[in-house]
Amino acid sequence: MVGVKMASALVMIVFMAVSLGGKWAAAEVHHVVGNDRGWDLPSDVAGWSSGRVFRVGDKLWFTYSAAQESIAEIKSKEEYESCDASNPIKMFTDGLDSILLDGEGIRYFVSSKTENCKNGLKLHVDVVPKHTPEKPKVSKSEGSALAVAAPPTTPTPSGAPSRISASFALFFVGLGLCFMGF
């Protein structure tokens, strides 16, 4: 009887590991723009974004003082480079905004204050398919080079979804073992 329970538990653990294994690698990532500083001039948003890979299904989180700032999502590279937020796709004004990266392609975000944008408070993200390998990519634009490299090897807060998924998997394995009488 104990041997059957042990075999069943082993099968359940292997099944859970196999079925959840692929989801760990493809978990959505929550990118907090500017890390601890959020969306403001001293945060070096361009430096923050270099080395990050943005995939379909990920989310961008913008934190800022709603009384002093707002963010415009704009349509084109030309508007981005000239800091022209006069015809935005969408305005973000809450101070804490979550934006789902729901499709492939480049998206542009700028400070609605032209002076802040011209001083570097703007962000472009190149959203790649969900299952794209992490390869360094360099693209050129007039007068500047934009680079997206592989992410750093040290753990970052954006790795939290994988740890959460692993925790849930272990929780369910433990729960299953409890129900089986171990």
Side-chain angles (χ1 to χ4, degrees), residues 35 76 134 137 149:
N35 287 330
S76 71
E134 295 181 14
K137 176 182 172 185

Side-chain angles (χ1 to χ4, degrees), residues 44-89:
D44 183 24
V45 173
W48 169 85
S49 67
S50 70
R52 292 187 185 266
V53 177
F54 301 95
R55 289 187 166 77
V56 172
D58 288 357
K59 287 186 179 179
L60 294 178
W61 286 87
F62 288 93
T63 59
Y64 54 95
S65 169
Q68 298 180 3
E69 186 65 67
S70 60
I71 299 168
E73 182 173 6
I74 54 178
K75 297 177 210 138
S76 71
K77 180 179 178 181
E78 292 76 24
E79 290 173 320
Y80 175 80
E81 289 179 347
S82 67
C83 293
D84 179 6
S86 62
N87 190 22
I89 296 171

Side-chain angles (χ1 to χ4, degrees), residues 31-46 48-49 60-66 68-74 80 83 92 95-97 99 107-113 116-118 120-125:
H31 302 276
V32 179
V33 177
N35 287 330
D36 295 348
R37 297 200 65 106
W39 178 262
D40 71 351
L41 283 171
S43 69
D44 183 24
V45 173
W48 169 85
S49 67
L60 294 178
W61 286 87
F62 288 93
T63 59
Y64 54 95
S65 169
Q68 298 180 3
E69 186 65 67
S70 60
I71 299 168
E73 182 173 6
I74 54 178
Y80 175 80
C83 293
F92 301 94
L96 178 62
D97 296 296
I99 300 163
R107 293 181 66 176
Y108 301 98
F109 302 92
V110 298
S111 169
S112 62
K113 293 185 173 182
N116 287 350
C117 178
K118 289 186 178 185
L121 196 51
K122 57 186 178 178
L123 173 70
H124 78 279
V125 294

